[in-house]
Amino acid sequence: MPRRPKTEPLRSATGVELTREVAFRFALDPGPELEAQLWQHAGAARYAWNKALGWVKWGLTCREWERELGAEPWTELPWTRFSLINAFNAWKHGKTADPVDGSGGLPWKDEVCQDVFECAMVDLGQALANWSESRVGKRKGRRVGFPKHKAKKRATPAFRLRNRARPSDTQAIRIVDHDGIKVPGLGVVRHHGSNRQLRRMLDVGRAHLYSASFRYERCRWWLTLSGVAAAFHPARTSRKGRHLRPAGIDVGVRTLAVCADDTGAHVRIWEGVNALESAQRQLRRANRCLAKTKPGSASRRKAAQRVGRLHRRVSGLRRDALHQLTHWVATQLTEVTVEDLNVAGMLANRRLARRLADVALAELRRQLTYKARWYGCRLHEADRWYPSSKICSACGHKHGDLDLSDVTWTCPNPACRIVHDRDHNAAVNLARWPRDQYPPPARVAA
Ligand SMILES: [Zn+2]
């Protein structure tokens, strides 16, 4: 059957175009049997990755020697996802021997869903492609390193399974009831919360699932279902009833975020969430307790579990608060500017409050990027060197020696002397950033 061209959007069984990438995340509470299976699948994915990565490294070394001999390299080198899948499948069934240690056949292969191996090969193929594209400068962003061996103690246990059915066929990954999802090889997986929203979208043919990713993070298994959904109804993306001035958002240390427009008017302030602050205090205390325990002791394990649970609570609360914030921004504003993320500065910041604000900024940008597109709001990112908090929004004077701890400051310009709230001033400057970057064309007199 001919493949669907990449440019054409997927259509659901009812003929709706599915263009919006979506992901649904659920916390799992597996029983002992399922949990054992999850660990086994994660182990299999890690094993397959490491095995194939070993072959790739071996192939590269051999080819290096062959080139030194002055010959055209002849060693086989699986590199793309297809060649990796084929090489692994052949070895798994004992049809070919491992080029490194000569072994062949994987005795425990049938204990896990076979798609785990294929997905691991797809991921490795992607990682290799990212590395080679990054090396020749065809890939944006930071340089991508060569794929790494996944050590059992350090790698996050994770694996992925795909739903390869077309929207009109019986789905391999499907929802069975309000808290149960059927996944190939694992049966029905129970989760916390409700899947009502996703189920309704699937029932009326406005969504299609591609894959189920499992991940063990912060002392818990998580399931993420990714797929595509239909675009929103035009009424939900219209500008009607929105704040029409361009706005800026500053993620603060004192408050969660401040939003102001380019005229200097406050649009909205999001105070910190009380539950989040108390959870952060508990987390600091738990970290101090952890530091006092002896390595390898039972009390250390318990303290580490407590820290993990608190981390989960803090990040969950923060994510929830930010979801409410970004939903409001994407649906109530027409144009918004946020700071660019200073990754290097983030790593250098040892003060917890500042670091948490940076984490919040990263999550805010991630959520805004897709929600702004969904709801028809223009999003700008001010460049990294734009001193949004140091410019006086009233007179334009740049206050060079502004300290990070200054909550309010007075403009040193003798003609101005305005007292600024740090976060509000930064938000106003951000709101004006697009206008300064792309000034409107000068009007020609008629
Ligand atoms: Zn001033």
Side-chain angles (χ1 to χ4, degrees), residues 20-24 208-211 225-229:
R20 195 162 57 93
E21 306 255 332
V22 287
F24 289 82
H208 177 72
L209 294 176
Y210 281 141
S211 66
L225 297 175
S226 358
V228 278

Side-chain angles (χ1 to χ4, degrees), residues 18 25 44 52 62 79 81 138 243 252 290 302 306 314 376:
L18 306 173
R25 193 160 179 261
C62 290
W79 191 265
R81 56 176 72 178
K138 273 206 292 184
H243 189 85
L290 176 67
K302 268 188 196 156
R306 187 173 152 70
V314 166

Side-chain angles (χ1 to χ4, degrees), residues 392 395 411 413 416:
C392 167
C395 70
C411 178
N413 180 0
C416 177

Side-chain angles (χ1 to χ4, degrees), residues 391-398 409-420:
I391 298 173
C392 167
S393 59
C395 70
H397 179 87
K398 192 176 157 191
W409 55 284
T410 310
C411 178
N413 180 0
C416 177
R417 306 299 289 174
I418 273 188
V419 180
H420 284 297

Side-chain angles (χ1 to χ4, degrees), residues 188-299:
V188 176
V189 176
R190 298 274 159 210
H191 60 78
H192 285 281
S194 164
N195 55 35
R196 181 170 166 270
Q197 194 190 359
L198 173 61
R199 192 174 42 174
R200 286 188 55 151
M201 283 162 72
L202 290 168
D203 283 350
V204 296
R206 288 181 67 81
H208 177 72
L209 294 176
Y210 281 141
S211 66
S213 310
F214 292 83
R215 200 176 172 78
Y216 186 80
E217 236 173 10
R218 302 187 191 108
C219 312
R220 166 167 280 177
W221 278 98
W222 301 87
L223 165 62
T224 304
L225 297 175
S226 358
V228 278
F232 285 129
H233 188 272
R236 291 181 77 179
T237 59
S238 116
R239 290 161 61 98
K240 208 171 152 191
R242 296 193 187 200
H243 189 85
L244 293 172
R245 305 276 338 160
I249 293 186
D250 184 67
V251 175
V253 175
R254 206 161 35 91
T255 54
L256 185 61
V258 173
C259 178
D261 68 17
D262 62 343
T263 62
H266 265 295
V267 177
R268 199 171 163 179
I269 299 176
W270 290 270
E271 297 291 346
V273 184
N274 281 337
L276 179 62
E277 276 158 25
S278 90
Q280 280 169 356
R281 266 198 305 279
Q282 285 176 24
L283 179 61
R284 279 196 285 276
R285 206 177 316 137
N287 262 321
R288 278 199 297 274
C289 288
L290 176 67
K292 283 177 195 159
T293 55
K294 272 191 198 135
S297 65
S299 56

Side-chain angles (χ1 to χ4, degrees), residues 58-70 73 75:
W58 169 265
L60 286 173
T61 314
C62 290
R63 287 186 159 212
E64 197 63 34
W65 290 338
E66 288 151 15
R67 254 186 229 106
E68 276 173 25
L69 291 174
T75 303

